[in-house]
Amino acid sequence: MLLPLAAVSAQNRAPKSADTKSAEGKPAEPNPLADEGYIAPPPSIARLVAAPREQNVNFSAPNPGSRQYFLRTMSDGLPSLQNVGKAHHNLGGFQVDYRGNRDRALTMRSSAGFEITEWASGRKIPVVVPAGARVSTPVWSPNGLQFAFLALFEDATQIYVADAATGKARAVTTRSTLSTNVTAPEWTADGTTIVTVLVPDARAPEPKEPRLAAGPMVRLNENNKLKTRTYPDLLASPFEKTLLEYHTTGQLAVVNVKTRAVKKVGAPGLIRSIDSSPDGQYFRVTYVEKPFSYLLPVASYGTREVVIDGAGTVLRELSKRTLREGEEPADPTDPQPRAGPAGRAAPIDTGKRNIAWHPFAGGLLYAQIAPAPAGAASGARVDSAATASATASATASATASATARRADRLMHWTAPFDSTGGTTLYETANRIASVQFSDDGKIMFVSETATGGTFEQAIFLDENNARFTVIAPRARDRGADSLARAAAAPAGGAGGRGARTSELVTRPGRRGVPVVVVSTDGKYVFTQGTTPDSVGKTPRAFVEKIEIRTGTRSRLYESAADVFETIYAPLDDDFTRVVVQRESPTVVPQSYVLTLASREAKQLTNNVDLMPEITKAVRKTVVARRADGYSFNVKVTLPADYKEGTRLPAMFWFYPREYDNQEAYNRSLTPGAGAANRFPTYGPRSLAFIVTQGYALIEPDAPIFASEGQLPNDNYVVDLRNNLAAVIDALDTLAIVDRQRLGIGGHSYGAFSTVNAMVHTPFFKAGIAGDGAYNRTLTPNGFQSERRDLWQGRQTYLEMSPFLYADQLNGALLMYHSTEDQNVGTDPINSIKMFHALQGLGKTASLYMYPYEDHGPVARETVLDQWARWVAWLDKYVKNAGGKPKVTTM
């Protein structure tokens, strides 16, 4: 159980009194490095931190159905300390706002309300949310006439539904939901009911911790090998196990939106997730399984996924994952998956994959490798060689040998989901990656992967499964027209910054799932993307339509070259009008409705440049070259009024990454489509703000390279020194920085690297290190990309631990750490013990511990306080050594 941390007292949080006296009777001068209580940075920084970013809007997702409305979630800026600091439990990484019966993140990241815009008329429709409540992310009904949201009260969480045309909202639930695991309402396809998890009837009060412990917490290991990462929080007592069960046990229910009638489904259980069939008759439910563990976080506990009917009867178990305290669980983020026995490749997956509800025909869909022919080895791997066409692929599949290729099948499994499985809907020699439908359910689009790339196949279900290749791999890589497709946003269409690649354009369908956009005549589908980046040219957004039966493409639209344009969603199925965003390095992003034929654009937003002193800053990219021949990029940001040849005090901010060689690093430099052609944006903790205080901001890539026969980390300290020396030399040659006034900093692994730089180089007068790990013996089973444990890579672990070299620290080190840091491997004890060591060594250091915050602070008060102390530290130890900075209290 996480006991509430000692809150900052009202006295500390209040502005310092002007008549505070020193020992000599004179008014005491504020000291931003030593004063407790939340303080504010210089006004020029405070304005940027608190800039009303929420007032700038991006309309990208129209409502389903009519597509006439845009729904805006009304933020009120940075979360307040009141929301971030609300009392909660932290149970093995499972964080609960126990008064509100919800996930703590819902409370912290809540919003103030909603506003609907009717784009054709420009009419604004305010949504009336209940008094005293904040709100969660909204969920549109399948027909787009209303949307649901969680109303977050102090002591309960209720489902409300709002009418899109009027903005009127009303409660749907009569008692609190249990939104600790299931954190959003789920509509059924007809929009009449919502599936949710409620607090069980007559639930007893929350258990109270015994006044006296009944005994010790027991951990026992008898020759079991369990290599785990260094988790930040684990259950620590039998009482915490009791609390976890209490806050996980919920009642699955179907609630009628109009009458508010509740149909309970089965008995309460330890529900982790739910997925209702479109008709609301069947449910996929994942339950947390006992026993609970003191060795693994809650996210790693055993689970059981089943299909149940409306009475709660279990019809079929889909999967079961047991708690494994005796072996290392598979890490889905591990970039180096383990091989099978004796180095052999792992056997093929012959189980049910990609299980999902059929949106039109009822039952479940899944993909599964066909059974091995009689006499064939059951573990033979699939040969997914690319085929020249779908027809050739099917022919090859029919004649392939048993050990060379086994077909992949799309199966349809209907109630009661018996053990015989489903019937075959589709079969291919390639690997089925995903399946989508047209909105009328008549065309099934199957994405298949093969050695040569990915096929998009269209299957006409009412034409005896006639198959046509819509996109073949060769069509995806056509020089200037290669697609940088983006994933469908909630409203379909291509995504924006950081979006992943996708295939055919989709939109929300009438059954509540994404569907492929098909033209009203049923002949065409669409794809969209941007032309590749090229030097001096802005990438152009384009839309192409593809004839389904022939694969013939024609370009409907290509954007102009003077702005960067992102296409978000079509407003009709013929793609005559679309929602776009336009921007450039000097033009603030604005949303438009664009008519493709006439190129007429109706502007929907009136966004403004909130921080011109930063967006107009001077930006450069400098190439640093090391003596050993390696080179890498350095981003440089300078004040807007910078004069060439002026040497500035500089702040380095970095995050080293590992590469096998120079070529691997060079490949990583491929930018996202148009990254250099977009308007710059900055979050509240962006170090770019430091340029307003007369500093240069230096952001080097700092690659760590592997040498022959070694792993990258074996060269970490040497490469770190060489990288920083090369950066300083390059910037000194260009007369950008004053090499006698340099600071360095970073967050997380960047903080770890900052302290390493300060103990292994003499270059920096001061450092800022946040939420870092400084002693690698505290992460003995691996860290970052290091897969060896401490005993396999002992020398590397010790050399990379700046704690062991604290006596060699050069410069003044400011550390900050969040007391509830949930990041793997960066327990706050790192900073506490590092400060303890530096204090004993007589080094100049500070440590600021921020209550309630996670790995990367979010509360307004915290972020402002950090900036106040950062600026004061750098001014004193970098810009004006020995000077006394000013402080503003909050």
Side-chain angles (χ1 to χ4, degrees), residues 72-221:
R72 175 186 176 187
T73 299
M74 306 293 287
S75 169
D76 38 15
L78 285 169
S80 69
L81 194 67
Q82 181 178 357
N83 285 340
V84 175
K86 188 180 179 185
H88 59 278
H89 298 309
N90 189 348
L91 304 169
F94 177 71
Q95 296 194 356
V96 180
D97 173 352
Y98 51 83
R99 289 197 64 205
N101 293 309
R102 56 182 175 260
D103 182 359
R104 182 195 180 203
L106 285 172
T107 298
M108 290 175 59
R109 300 289 187 175
S110 59
S111 299
F114 307 103
E115 182 183 74
I116 300 169
T117 297
E118 187 178 53
W119 66 262
S121 66
R123 182 168 66 105
K124 304 290 184 182
I125 306 168
V127 176
V128 181
V129 301
R134 295 182 63 78
V135 298
S136 70
T137 301
V139 182
W140 281 106
S141 64
N143 63 13
L145 299 179
Q146 51 191 346
F147 63 90
F149 61 92
L150 297 179
L152 311 175
F153 296 95
E154 184 70 19
D155 58 356
T157 302
Q158 302 282 2
I159 297 176
Y160 274 64
V161 167
D163 182 81
T166 65
K168 293 181 179 178
R170 62 186 186 85
V172 169
T173 51
T174 57
R175 69 173 186 271
S176 180
T177 65
L178 184 72
S179 296
T180 53
N181 271 322
V182 178
T183 57
E186 182 177 313
W187 290 92
T188 53
D190 62 7
T192 63
T193 55
I194 284 175
V195 183
T196 188
V197 177
L198 300 174
V199 169
D201 290 340
R203 182 173 72 160
E206 182 184 80
K208 300 300 181 183
E209 187 167 14
R211 187 176 63 84
L212 290 176
M217 180 185 74
V218 177
R219 301 188 192 189
L220 175 66
N221 191 68

Side-chain angles (χ1 to χ4, degrees), residues 571-831:
L571 291 174
D572 57 72
D573 285 351
D574 291 314
F575 238 106
T576 62
R577 287 182 297 194
V578 298
V579 184
V580 303
Q581 180 176 277
R582 291 175 174 173
E583 61 186 304
S584 79
T586 58
V587 175
V588 177
Q590 305 287 359
S591 295
Y592 299 83
V593 168
L594 174 67
T595 302
L596 297 191
S598 65
R599 302 301 195 263
E600 179 183 353
K602 175 182 176 64
Q603 186 169 333
L604 302 177
T605 59
N606 293 290
N607 300 326
V608 298
D609 185 355
L610 296 169
M611 45 191 75
E613 61 268 57
I614 301 299
T615 58
K616 291 180 171 57
V618 178
R619 297 175 190 82
K620 302 173 181 285
T621 298
V622 174
V623 177
R625 303 185 188 280
R626 291 176 10 184
D628 56 9
Y630 289 105
S631 62
F632 55 93
N633 287 353
V634 182
K635 287 172 55 180
V636 178
T637 306
L638 304 167
D641 59 355
Y642 177 75
K643 300 294 189 296
E644 289 291 335
T646 304
R647 294 183 180 273
L648 297 177
M651 181 60 180
F652 284 50
W653 194 260
F654 76 140
Y655 192 103
R657 288 178 170 84
E658 300 78 26
Y659 301 91
D660 288 336
N661 48 46
Q662 180 75 58
E663 291 71 27
Y665 166 75
N666 292 343
R667 287 194 298 271
S668 74
L669 298 179
T670 303
N677 299 278
R678 294 181 165 185
F679 190 79
T681 58
Y682 302 93
R685 298 174 70 244
S686 171
L687 260 289
F689 298 168
I690 201 70
V691 303
T692 65
Q693 307 305 299
Y695 293 86
L697 174 63
I698 313 300
E699 298 173 277
D701 282 350
I704 306 299
F705 292 109
S707 57
E708 187 173 353
Q710 291 185 310
L711 296 174
N713 279 342
D714 294 335
N715 301 316
Y716 174 86
V717 173
V718 172
D719 275 7
L720 188 69
R721 279 197 299 256
N722 289 344
N723 287 337
L724 294 171
V727 174
I728 294 168
D729 287 345
L731 299 176
D732 183 48
T733 300
L734 295 173
I736 291 175
V737 303
D738 177 352
R739 64 188 308 153
Q740 301 304 316
R741 294 190 296 165
L742 303 178
I744 189 168
H747 185 81
S748 192
Y749 200 69
F752 158 77
S753 296
T754 291
V755 183
N756 265 306
M758 294 181 70
V759 300
H760 293 301
T761 78
F763 305 142
F764 302 100
K765 293 291 190 289
I768 297 175
D771 290 353
Y774 311 115
N775 184 347
R776 284 300 164 203
T777 68
L778 298 179
T779 55
N781 292 324
F783 59 91
Q784 203 73 359
S785 65
E786 180 58 63
R787 291 297 176 257
R788 296 168 296 183
D789 65 26
L790 169 61
W791 298 273
Q792 295 167 324
R794 186 192 310 270
Q795 190 61 31
T796 296
Y797 271 69
L798 298 180
E799 287 180 353
M800 293 181 69
S801 296
F803 180 84
L804 303 180
Y805 300 88
D807 60 322
Q808 299 178 19
L809 183 81
N810 296 292
L813 176 61
L814 179 155
M815 292 181 290
Y816 64 89
H817 216 120
S818 300
T819 60
E820 297 190 51
D821 187 350
Q822 296 300 294
N823 186 56
V824 171
T826 55
D827 191 289
I829 196 67
N830 279 273
S831 294

